[in-house]
């Protein structure tokens, strides 16, 4: 029986946060549980066996930054910029999450598609973290795929509502990695970086116009760059009810976006992996349903 390959570790949702912290840490476990309940035998969950190594992190990040975070010697101001307090629990959770995205890349290149139940830490720069992101899992997965000769030209297709500023700086000198960010222009981060292709959208954009932009950008990148692997950040903070979004995209619009991205990759015979990206509704059940559109689209497209 054919199964959709996914990646998960319970530690994804295991982080003790202060009351009323903005980050919805429980959503990963909720999404995993809902996906297993709905698709049962037609979804296979691969567990992350071990945390990402310092050597792998060093493919993108500076040795000094890696060491400071892993050992807890990082400047408190740097942790404030990331948005979490330092703890060993947070270090472990971060390393497993990044390892999960890298594992997802390898699975996608073997099975044509795979989805990580976390990921999308695109605000992490080579020497510092930002916006809930410590290490840039998207850039690391792309770099590992190239280093292991699993792919030669990787497109990072980022549809999170916030610009992938960290990804832009992480891969700016990588000729084999193309960074593309479709985001709300007047949103975090205030200081944008230069991706290989940026599309800054106006606030309050709705489904029809948004989907046209996404489709046109993806097709243009495929023609211009000719990737043989796609890393897709399927952020749902574009949703009309998202607390940090500023776009007005419906749940159905998100499903149509994800379905279109997967169908386009399949039509061009390009392996694709996805991470769930950002989503910040405080109602975890409602947020889970929006993220679930990615799993549903992947399942319906490839199985």
């Amino acid at each position: 029986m054919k199964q959709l390959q996914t990646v998960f570790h319970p530690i994804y949702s295991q982080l003790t946060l202060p009351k009323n912290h903005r980050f919805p840490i429980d959503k990963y476990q909720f999404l995993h549980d809902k996906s297993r309940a709905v698709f049962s035998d037609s979804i296979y969950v691969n567990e992350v066996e071990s945390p990402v190594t310092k050597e792998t992190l060093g493919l993108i990040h500076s040795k000094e930054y890696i060491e400071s975070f892993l050992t807890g010697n990082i400047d408190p101001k740097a942790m404030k910029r990331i948005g979490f307090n330092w703890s060993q629990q947070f270090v472990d959770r971060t390393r497993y999450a990044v390892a999960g995205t890298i594992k997802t890349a390898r699975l996608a290149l073997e099975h044509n598609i795979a989805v990580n139940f976390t990921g999308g830490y695109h605000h992490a720069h080579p020497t510092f973290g930002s916006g809930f992101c410590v290490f840039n899992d998207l850039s690391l997965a792309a770099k590992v795929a190239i280093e292991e000769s699993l792919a030669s030209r990787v497109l990072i297709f980022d549809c999170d509502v916030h610009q992938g500023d960290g990804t832009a700086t992480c891969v700016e000198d990588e000729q084999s990695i193309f960074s593309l960010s479709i985001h709300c222009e007047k949103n975090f981060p205030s200081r944008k970086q230069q991706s290989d292709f940026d599309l800054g959208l106006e606030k309050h954009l709705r489904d029809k116009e948004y989907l046209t932009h996404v489709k046109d950008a993806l097709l243009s990148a495929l023609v211009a760059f000719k990737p043989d692997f796609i890393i897709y950040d399927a952020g749902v903070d574009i949703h009309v009810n998202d607390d940090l979004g500023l776009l007005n995209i419906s749940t159905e619009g998100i499903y149509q976006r994800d379905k279109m991205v997967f169908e386009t990759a399949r039509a061009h015979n390009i392996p694709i992996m996805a991470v769930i990206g950002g989503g910040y509704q405080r109602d975890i059940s409602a947020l889970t349903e929006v993220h679930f559109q990615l799993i549903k689209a992947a399942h319906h497209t490839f199985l």
Side-chain angles (χ1 to χ4, degrees):
M1 180 180 181
K2 193 173 182 182
Q3 295 174 301
L4 174 66
Q5 300 293 312
T6 64
V7 175
F8 180 73
H9 193 288
I11 203 172
Y12 287 1
S13 281
Q14 292 172 0
L15 182 61
T16 304
L17 297 175
K19 188 177 181 180
N20 296 323
H21 192 283
R22 193 70 218 68
F23 197 81
I25 195 68
D26 293 330
K27 70 179 185 178
Y28 308 108
Q29 185 71 54
F30 271 66
L31 180 60
H32 164 271
D33 294 349
K34 179 179 178 67
S35 300
R36 290 290 296 270
V38 172
F39 293 123
S40 60
D41 292 342
S42 61
I43 187 170
Y44 186 84
V45 180
N46 299 267
E47 186 161 321
V48 188
E49 299 93 347
S50 57
V52 67
T53 65
K54 290 190 288 186
E55 290 74 21
T56 297
L57 292 172
L59 293 173
I60 292 292
H61 297 282
S62 71
K63 182 178 180 181
E64 293 74 19
Y65 173 51
I66 296 166
E67 287 292 338
S68 70
F69 176 72
L70 296 185
T71 60
N73 292 317
I74 188 169
D75 190 314
K77 291 181 180 178
M79 286 305 303
K80 186 175 181 180
R81 186 171 190 174
I82 290 170
F84 296 104
N85 294 323
W86 188 92
S87 66
Q88 187 59 51
Q89 182 189 41
F90 183 43
V91 171
D92 295 342
R93 191 258 172 210
T94 297
R95 293 180 68 185
Y96 272 94
V98 172
T101 297
I102 293 171
K103 183 179 184 69
T104 306
R106 294 190 179 112
L107 285 167
L109 286 158
E110 180 182 353
H111 298 276
N112 292 320
I113 184 171
V115 180
N116 190 13
F117 280 110
T118 187
Y121 302 107
H122 62 169
H123 298 308
H125 294 253
T127 60
F128 65 92
S130 176
F132 305 140
C133 305
V134 180
F135 299 124
N136 198 297
D137 61 324
L138 307 175
S139 302
L140 285 162
K143 188 70 172 175
V144 167
I146 291 168
E147 290 282 318
E148 295 182 357
S149 299
L150 299 173
S152 58
R153 298 174 68 80
V154 182
L155 168 63
I156 299 177
F157 190 65
D158 190 340
C159 290
D160 192 279
V161 82
H162 307 106
Q163 192 211 25
D165 59 324
T167 303
T169 61
C170 284
V171 304
E172 60 185 351
D173 296 324
E174 299 286 345
Q175 298 302 310
S176 299
I177 304 173
F178 189 93
S179 59
L180 192 160
S181 179
I182 304 173
H183 51 269
C184 181
E185 185 66 22
K186 295 181 180 179
N187 203 327
F188 180 88
S190 56
R191 181 183 298 176
K192 303 293 190 290
Q193 301 297 324
Q194 186 173 341
S195 308
D196 290 304
F197 183 86
D198 285 297
L199 181 56
L201 305 174
E202 293 296 319
K203 291 191 292 185
H204 312 307
L205 199 69
R206 296 183 181 275
D207 290 10
K208 184 176 180 181
E209 294 81 5
Y210 176 76
L211 291 170
T212 298
H213 283 305
V214 173
K215 184 175 182 179
D216 289 348
L218 179 56
L219 291 175
S220 295
L222 297 188
V223 171
F225 184 65
K226 295 180 174 58
D228 56 10
F229 184 41
I230 298 172
I231 294 176
Y232 175 39
D233 185 343
V236 302
D237 37 16
I238 61 171
H239 193 268
V240 62
N241 293 332
D242 197 88
D243 293 351
L244 303 181
L246 304 180
L247 295 184
N248 291 348
I249 311 305
S250 69
T251 301
E252 176 62 22
I254 288 174
Y255 173 73
Q256 292 300 329
R257 178 199 66 178
D258 295 344
K259 183 167 172 283
M260 183 272 293
V261 172
F262 287 138
E263 287 180 344
T264 301
R266 184 175 185 178
H268 288 80
N269 296 311
I270 303 173
I272 183 170
M273 65 154 283
V275 296
I276 73 168
Y280 302 95
Q281 295 184 53
R282 290 190 183 275
D283 183 335
I284 292 295
S285 294
L287 178 57
T288 299
E289 180 62 26
V290 182
H291 276 302
F292 180 68
Q293 303 311 303
L294 176 70
I295 308 301
K296 186 169 71 171
H299 186 274
H300 289 176
T301 304
F302 285 85
L303 297 187

